[in-house]
C-alpha cells in the first residue's frame, strides 16, 4: 500500500495514529495508546446528535464527509476518496495515475460501514491459499507471477430491504408407470400450481460502482452485517473509498432479479409432491422498500503473469478471495486424456458386466 | 508431468489389450457332461466317426449357449407319438441345463410305419426357437433324411441350431429370408459341420466396436465433467442469481395455494413377447409335467 500518514493524532503524545484492522482500533506506535474510532467525533453540519439517523438514504442528500479529498483517474474516470493525508497514486481499477481534484468536496456520506478486519499479513496468506489445489495453474505460475498492487478500498453498496409480495404459477407433473403381460404403461398427470404469499429480505447488496466487476462483488459475499456500524471517516486511514456512480434506480433491477429468483425458489419448495415443476410466470411487488448506502471493505489485488493482468477481490472482513486464474492448456489436455482413459476403462468393465448379466 | 504421462500410458495399455473379454460370451449354467451322448442312435445309422464328430459339435454348441443340444435316431417310438417320445427321452434321460432344463432335441424315428422327425424344445430354448426356424430346419432336413444321408441331416440341423440360438440370444430374433438360408446351407462351413461361420464372426466384430465406442463415449463424458469442475475452481467470479442469504427467517408466509388438475395422458409400449414370434409350434405339458414346445413332420 502507499505510504500512509494519519490525520488522527494520539491524544497522549500527539503522534499520528494507525488503524489496526485486526483489533479494529486506532493505535499509536509511539506510546502504545489505543483509541476507538468513536473517540474522534466529527462535527457534522447542523447535527450534533450522537444517535445516528438510520433513515433512508435519499439521492438528493448532498451532505458530505469532511476532512476527505477526492482523486480522479485520468483514464477510467474513477473518483477515489481518502483522508487528508493518505496519498493515493494509482487507480485501483486500471492502475493509471490519479489526479487530486480540489474542487470536489468529498464523498456523499454513507449510512454505515464495515471496517477492514483482514490485515496485510493475512492477505498474503489468503492469496497463497487461493493458488493451492488449482491443478490447472501453469507450472511456473507461482515462480513467475507478481503481485503488482494491493489496494484496500471501501466499495459503495446499496443495501435493499423489502417485503416481496406476489404470486408464482408453475406447471407440475406426476408420473406413474406399470406393466401387464402385453404393454408397459406410463401415465402423466398435469397440474396448474399457484402460490401466493410474501417474504421479507434484508440488506440485499448491490455495488454502486460501475467500474467494479459485478461478478467479483457478488462472489465475495456474504458480509457479516452484525459488524455494520455507524459511518466514521477514521476507518479511511490507509484505505481508499470509491464514490458511487450507479444510483439506487440503476441498482434496483439487480436486486429485484435476485429477490424474484429467491421468491420463486421458496414457493417451489412448497410443491415437492410433483415429479417436475416448471415456472410459468408470476407477479411480484416490492413493498415497504428502504435502501441504505454503505461502504464495504474490499481488497483489490492486481497480479501479472505471462504478459497478462489478473485481478482478484478479497472480502476485507471475511477474507474470502475470488478471481480468475490462468489455465494451462497443456495441463488441461493431459488431464483430459488421463480422465478419458480412466473413464473408458471403468465404463468398459461396467458395460461388459451389464451385458453378461442382462444377456 | 512425467507422472501424468505414465498414468496415461499404463491406462491405455490396459484398456486396449483386452481389459474385458468377449462381451457376448454366454456362460452356461453347467458344462455339457461328455459322458452322456448328445448324438445317440439305436442302430448304425451313423458311422462311429460320424457319431463322434457330430457329438462333439453338439457339445460345443451346448457349451457356447448354455442350452443342451440333443439328437436321437431311434428304430421306433415304442408306440408313443413322436412328440411324446421326444419329450420323455429329453426329460427322463437327464438332458437340459439349469433349473428350467434348457435344451432342444431332434428325434428321427426310422419306424417304417411312422417315419418322421420331431424337434422338442424345453425351458429357455422354447422362447428362442421361432415358428419359421422350425419350418426351415424341417424343410431342409427332409431331403437328406429321405435320401438316407443321416449324417448330413444331423450336421445341417446342428449348424442351423447354432445360428438360430445365436440370433435368438443376441439379435432378439431374426426372420430369415431365402438368401440367408441358402447361404448357410450351401457354404463350406455347413458341409464341414463347423459351427463357426463368417456371419457370426462379422457380428462379433460389430459388437466389439459398439462396446468400444460406448466405453470411449462414457470416458469422454466423464472427462468433460471432471475438467469442467477443475475449470470452475479457476473462475470463481460468478454473478449471484438469488438472494436466499438475505431472506429474513420466519417471514415467509403462503396465504393462498391452489393445485388444479388439468389433464392426464397414458402412453403404452408393447412388450417383447416372451414367446417370441411364436416360439415353437405351440406349447404343451409332457408326462413329466414340464412344458415343451415342438414340431415335426414325416418323411
Amino acid at each position: 500500500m502507499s505510504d500512509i500518514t494519519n490525520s488522527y493524532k494520539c491524544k497522549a503524545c500527539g503522534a499520528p495514529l494507525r488503524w489496526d484492522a485486526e483489533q479494529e482500533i486506532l493505535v499509536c506506535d509511539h506510546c502504545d495508546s489505543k483509541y476507538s474510532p468513536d473517540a474522534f467525533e466529527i462535527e457534522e453540519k447542523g447535527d450534533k446528535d450522537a444517535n445516528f439517523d438510520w433513515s433512508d438514504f435519499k439521492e438528493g442528500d448532498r451532505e458530505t464527509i469532511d476532512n476527505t479529498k477526492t482523486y480522479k483517474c485520468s483514464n477510467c474516470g474513477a473518483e477515489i476518496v481518502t483522508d487528508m493525508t493518505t496519498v493515493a497514486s494509482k487507480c485501483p481499477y486500471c492502475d493509471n495515475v490519479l489526479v487530486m481534484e480540489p474542487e470536489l468536496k468529498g464523498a456523499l456520506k454513507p449510512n454505515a460501514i464495515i471496517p477492514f478486519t483482514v490485515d496485510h499479513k493475512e492477505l498474503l496468506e489468503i492469496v497463497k491459499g487461493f493458488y493451492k489445489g488449482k491443478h490447472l495453474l501453469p507450472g511456473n505460475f507461482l515462480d513467475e507471477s507478481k503481485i503488482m498492487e494491493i489496494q484496500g478500498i471501501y466499495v459503495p453498496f446499496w443495501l435493499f430491504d423489502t417485503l416481496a409480495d406476489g404470486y408464482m404459477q408453475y406447471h407440475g407433473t406426476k408420473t406413474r408407470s406399470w406393466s401387464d403381460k402385453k404393454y408397459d404403461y406410463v401415465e402423466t398427470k398435469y397440474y396448474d400450481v399457484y402460490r401466493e404469499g410474501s417474504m421479507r429480505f434484508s440488506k440485499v447488496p448491490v455495488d454502486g460502482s460501475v467500474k467494479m466487476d459485478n461478478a467479483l462483488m457478488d462472489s465475495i459475499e456474504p458480509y457479516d452485517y452484525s459488524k455494520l456500524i455507524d459511518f466514521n471517516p477514521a476507518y479511511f486511514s490507509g484505505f481508499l473509498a470509491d464514490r458511487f456512480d450507479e444510483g439506487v434506480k440503476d441498482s434496483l433491477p439487480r436486486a429485484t432479479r435476485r429477490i424474484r429468483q429467491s421468491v420463486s425458489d421458496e414457493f417451489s419448495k412448497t410443491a415437492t409432491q410433483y415429479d417436475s415443476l416448471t415456472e410459468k410466470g408470476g407477479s411480484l411487488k416490492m413493498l415497504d422498500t428502504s435502501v441504505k448506502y454503505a461502504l464495504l471493505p474490499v481488497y483489490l489485488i492486481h497480479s501479472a503473469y505471462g504478459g497478462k493482468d489478473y485481478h482478484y477481490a478479497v472480502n476485507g472482513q471475511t477474507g474470502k478471495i475470488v478471481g480468475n486464474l490462468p489455465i494451462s492448456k497443456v495441463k488441461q489436455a493431459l488431464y483430459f486424456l488421463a480422465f478419458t482413459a480412466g473413464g473408458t476403462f471403468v465404463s468398459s468393465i461396467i458395460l461388459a458386466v451389464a451385458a453378461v448379466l442382462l444377456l | 508431468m512425467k507422472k501424468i504421462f505414465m498414468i496415461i500410458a499404463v491406462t491405455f495399455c490396459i484398456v486396449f489389450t483386452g481389459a474385458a473379454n468377449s462381451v457376448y460370451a454366454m456362460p452356461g449354467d453347467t458344462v455339457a457332461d461328455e459322458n452322456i451322448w448328445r448324438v445317440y442312435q439305436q442302430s448304425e445309422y451313423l458311422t462311429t466317426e460320424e457319431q463322434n464328430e457330430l457329438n462333439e459339435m453338439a457339445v460345443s454348441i451346448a457349451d457356447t449357449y448354455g442350452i443342451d443340444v440333443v439328437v436321437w435316431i431311434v428304430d421306433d417310438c415304442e408306440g408313443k407319438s413322436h412328440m411324446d417320445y421326444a419329450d420323455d427321452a429329453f426329460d427322463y434321460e437327464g438332458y437340459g441345463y439349469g433349473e428350467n432344463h434348457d435344451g432342444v432335441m431332434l428325434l428321427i424315428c426310422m419306424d417304417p410305419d411312422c417315419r418322421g422327425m420331431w424337434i422338442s424344445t424345453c425351458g429357455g430354448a422354447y422362447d428362442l426357437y421361432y415358428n419359421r426356424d422350425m419350418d426351415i430346419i424341417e424343410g431342409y432336413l427332409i431331403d437328406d433324411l429321405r435320401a438316407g444321408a443321416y449324417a448330413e441331416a444331423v450336421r445341417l440341423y446342428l449348424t442351423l441350431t447354432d445360428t438360430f440360438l445365436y440370433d435368438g440370444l443376441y439379435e432378439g430374433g431374426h426372420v430369415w429370408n431365402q438368401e440367408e438360408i441358402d447361404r448357410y446351407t450351401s457354404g463350406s462351413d455347413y458341409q464341414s459341420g463347423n459351427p463357426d461361420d463368417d456371419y457370426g464372426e462379422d457380428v462379433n466384430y460389430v459388437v466389439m466396436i459398439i462396446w468400444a465406442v460406448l466405453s470411449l463415449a462414457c470416458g469422454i463424458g466423464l472427462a468433460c465433467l471432471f475438467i469442467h469442475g477443475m475449470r470452475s475452481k479457476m473462475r470463481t467470479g460468478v454473478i449471484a442469481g438469488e438472494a436466499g442469504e438475505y431472506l429474513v427467517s420466519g417471514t415467509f408466509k403462503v396465504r393462498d395455494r391452489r393445485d388444479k388438475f388439468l389433464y392426464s395422458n397414458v402412453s403404452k409400449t408393447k412388450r417383447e413377447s416372451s414367446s417370441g414370434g411364436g416360439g415353437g409350434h405351440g406349447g404343451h405339458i409332457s408326462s413329466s409335467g414340464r412344458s415343451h414346445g415342438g414340431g415335426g413332420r414325416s418323411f
Side-chain angles (χ1 to χ4, degrees):
Chain A
M1 287 186 198
S2 42
D3 184 33
I4 297 164
T5 51
N6 205 305
S7 62
Y8 294 94
K9 309 281 184 197
C10 175
K11 291 185 178 179
C13 66
L17 294 174
R18 171 181 61 82
W19 172 253
D20 187 316
E22 192 178 338
Q23 299 182 73
E24 299 180 40
I25 50 173
L26 290 159
V27 174
C28 176
D29 292 321
H30 187 73
C31 67
D32 287 335
S33 296
K34 295 182 173 114
Y35 301 92
S36 161
D38 294 337
F40 296 90
E41 288 182 20
I42 299 161
E43 258 191 40
E44 295 172 2
K45 292 179 185 176
D47 183 9
K48 295 193 179 180
D49 189 345
N51 292 323
F52 190 73
D53 180 10
W54 276 84
S55 60
D56 293 348
F57 182 87
K58 291 179 180 51
E59 292 246 31
D61 191 337
R62 298 301 301 171
E63 191 177 357
T64 58
I65 314 165
D66 289 335
N67 298 321
T68 59
K69 60 183 177 184
T70 305
Y71 289 83
K72 188 159 183 174
C73 176
S74 56
N75 182 48
C76 69
E79 291 178 357
I80 304 299
V81 176
T82 186
D83 61 347
M84 295 306 292
T85 54
T86 298
V87 177
S89 55
K90 278 196 175 179
C91 175
Y93 301 111
C94 64
D95 272 354
N96 215 320
V97 172
L98 283 173
V99 176
M100 199 175 86
E101 292 280 335
E103 63 269 20
L104 287 176
K105 286 209 174 169
L108 293 173
K109 190 174 179 182
N111 294 106
I113 190 170
I114 293 180
F116 277 88
T117 51
V118 174
D119 65 20
H120 201 69
K121 267 190 203 169
E122 279 179 81
L123 199 57
L124 294 175
E125 290 305 312
I126 288 167
V127 173
K128 279 185 194 170
F130 186 45
Y131 298 150
K132 275 188 188 169
K134 305 292 193 294
H135 301 293
L136 297 182
L137 263 185
N140 58 357
F141 180 82
L142 292 176
D143 295 328
E144 295 192 11
S145 69
K146 283 180 185 168
I147 293 181
M148 309 300 287
E149 191 80 34
I150 297 179
Q151 299 262 13
I153 180 164
Y154 284 104
V155 177
F157 274 82
W158 302 108
L159 304 182
F160 292 90
D161 289 356
T162 191
L163 177 68
D165 187 293
Y167 69 87
M168 287 283 169
Q169 278 183 298
Y170 306 86
H171 264 311
T173 63
K174 287 185 189 176
T175 55
R176 182 171 73 100
S177 56
W178 70 96
S179 300
D180 59 26
K181 279 188 183 174
K182 288 190 180 173
Y183 295 98
D184 293 323
Y185 301 88
V186 176
E187 179 193 50
T188 307
K189 289 185 177 176
Y190 297 87
Y191 293 84
D192 181 66
V193 179
Y194 176 90
R195 296 287 184 271
E196 184 178 323
S198 64
M199 59 199 82
R200 191 171 284 280
F201 291 85
S202 173
K203 298 186 186 66
V204 178
V206 178
D207 76 85
S209 171
V210 169
K211 297 164 294 301
M212 275 295 180
D213 186 326
N214 289 342
L216 289 182
M217 290 303 102
D218 285 353
S219 298
I220 58 171
E221 292 175 24
Y223 284 88
D224 179 4
Y225 288 139
S226 67
K227 307 290 186 201
L228 197 63
I229 54 176
D230 296 352
F231 173 75
N232 189 322
Y235 299 115
F236 276 1
S237 294
F239 300 99
L240 309 178
D242 191 7
R243 290 160 60 100
F244 75 84
D245 48 16
E246 266 185 318
V248 174
K249 278 186 187 169
D250 295 328
S251 302
L252 196 55
R254 274 174 65 195
T256 306
R257 180 175 49 79
R258 290 178 66 174
I259 289 168
R260 192 192 184 285
Q261 185 59 49
S262 286
V263 169
S264 178
D265 291 345
E266 292 302 315
F267 277 142
S268 64
K269 285 177 190 173
T270 65
T272 53
Q273 66 270 39
Y274 297 100
D275 297 317
S276 75
L277 200 66
T278 311
E279 190 184 310
K280 262 174 50 180
S283 175
L284 212 56
K285 284 182 192 167
M286 305 296 179
L287 305 173
D288 193 22
T289 302
S290 64
V291 59
K292 308 264 187 299
Y293 173 36
L295 294 180
L296 303 183
V298 178
Y299 281 108
L300 293 179
I301 301 175
H302 170 211
S303 172
Y305 168 77
K308 287 187 181 172
D309 294 330
Y310 296 91
H311 296 274
Y312 320 137
V314 180
N315 184 317
Q317 180 194 37
T318 64
K320 181 178 178 185
I321 181 169
V322 296
N324 295 336
L325 291 167
I327 293 176
S328 164
K329 288 186 180 171
V330 171
K331 276 192 176 182
Q332 184 176 245
L334 287 174
Y335 272 109
F336 182 81
L337 286 175
F339 285 131
T340 299
T344 302
F345 174 62
V346 171
S347 303
S348 67
I349 292 177
I350 292 172
L351 286 172
V353 170
V356 167
L357 289 175
L358 291 173
L359 299 176
Chain B
M1 194 76 88
K2 282 183 185 175
K3 279 188 185 173
I4 296 173
F5 268 122
M6 283 295 295
I7 293 169
I8 294 169
V10 168
T11 311
F12 266 114
C13 283
I14 292 171
V15 168
F16 290 108
T17 51
N21 288 323
S22 169
V23 177
Y24 48 84
M26 183 62 195
D29 290 338
T30 55
V31 177
D33 185 347
E34 293 180 355
N35 291 325
I36 303 177
W37 282 95
R38 258 60 188 174
V39 177
Y40 167 75
Q41 57 180 354
Q42 287 182 340
S43 297
E44 288 271 335
Y45 298 103
L46 306 167
T47 66
T48 304
E49 292 77 19
E50 285 171 342
Q51 187 179 14
N52 286 334
E53 176 220 330
L54 293 170
N55 193 76
E56 277 182 29
M57 196 172 162
V59 168
S60 171
I61 294 169
D63 283 347
T64 301
Y65 299 108
I67 290 178
D68 213 347
V69 179
V70 182
V71 179
W72 272 30
I73 307 177
V74 299
D75 299 329
D76 60 69
C77 289
E78 298 173 3
K80 297 178 186 175
S81 67
H82 293 159
M83 181 183 82
D84 290 338
Y85 190 94
D87 291 348
D88 291 347
F90 187 90
D91 293 341
Y92 294 115
E93 292 301 321
Y95 294 119
Y97 283 5
E99 60 183 23
N100 294 323
H101 307 281
D102 303 330
V104 58
M105 177 173 180
L106 168 67
L107 172 71
I108 300 171
C109 179
M110 302 302 293
D111 187 338
D113 295 330
C114 59
R115 274 159 57 107
M117 54 176 279
W118 187 268
I119 297 174
S120 173
T121 56
C122 186
Y126 180 94
D127 295 326
L128 293 173
Y129 265 76
Y130 289 74
N131 282 340
R132 185 170 171 82
D133 298 340
M134 295 269 196
D135 289 338
I136 290 165
I137 292 175
E138 290 161 15
Y140 276 91
L141 261 53
I142 288 292
D143 291 339
D144 285 333
L145 289 172
R146 282 178 181 157
Y150 305 116
E152 284 74 15
V154 174
R155 193 175 294 115
L156 171 59
Y157 165 72
L158 293 174
T159 303
L160 289 174
T161 293
D162 177 24
T163 309
F164 292 145
L165 285 177
Y166 182 90
D167 280 346
L169 283 168
Y170 301 112
E171 299 293 322
H174 180 77
V175 178
W176 289 77
N177 59 43
Q178 193 58 47
E179 186 190 337
E180 288 166 325
I181 295 164
D182 290 342
R183 178 151 52 104
Y184 294 119
T185 56
S186 65
S188 59
D189 287 339
Y190 148 63
Q191 287 171 351
S192 68
N194 186 349
D196 292 327
D197 59 88
D198 292 339
Y199 178 72
E201 285 181 357
D202 289 342
V203 171
N204 289 351
Y205 284 129
V206 170
V207 170
M208 281 283 285
I209 288 168
I210 291 171
W211 165 75
V213 167
L214 273 177
S215 301
L216 188 61
C218 290
I220 290 173
L222 280 170
C224 287
L225 272 174
F226 278 116
I227 293 296
H228 177 73
M230 291 170 83
R231 283 181 66 96
S232 65
K233 283 187 183 178
M234 310 293 283
R235 301 272 189 265
T236 50
V238 178
I239 296 279
E242 45 78 39
E245 188 87 36
Y246 307 99
L247 175 62
V248 178
S249 175
T251 62
F252 177 40
K253 291 183 178 67
V254 177
R255 57 173 178 269
D256 190 9
R257 68 171 75 197
R258 281 174 256 155
D259 295 52
K260 188 175 157 187
F261 171 72
L262 296 174
Y263 62 94
S264 69
N265 61 35
V266 179
S267 63
K268 62 182 185 184
T269 314
K270 195 168 183 182
R271 302 185 83 185
E272 273 190 30
S273 172
S274 60
S275 61
H281 283 263
H284 56 273
I285 305 296
S286 67
S287 63
S288 67
R290 289 185 204 158
S291 180
H292 284 263
R297 61 179 77 175
S298 59
F299 60 88

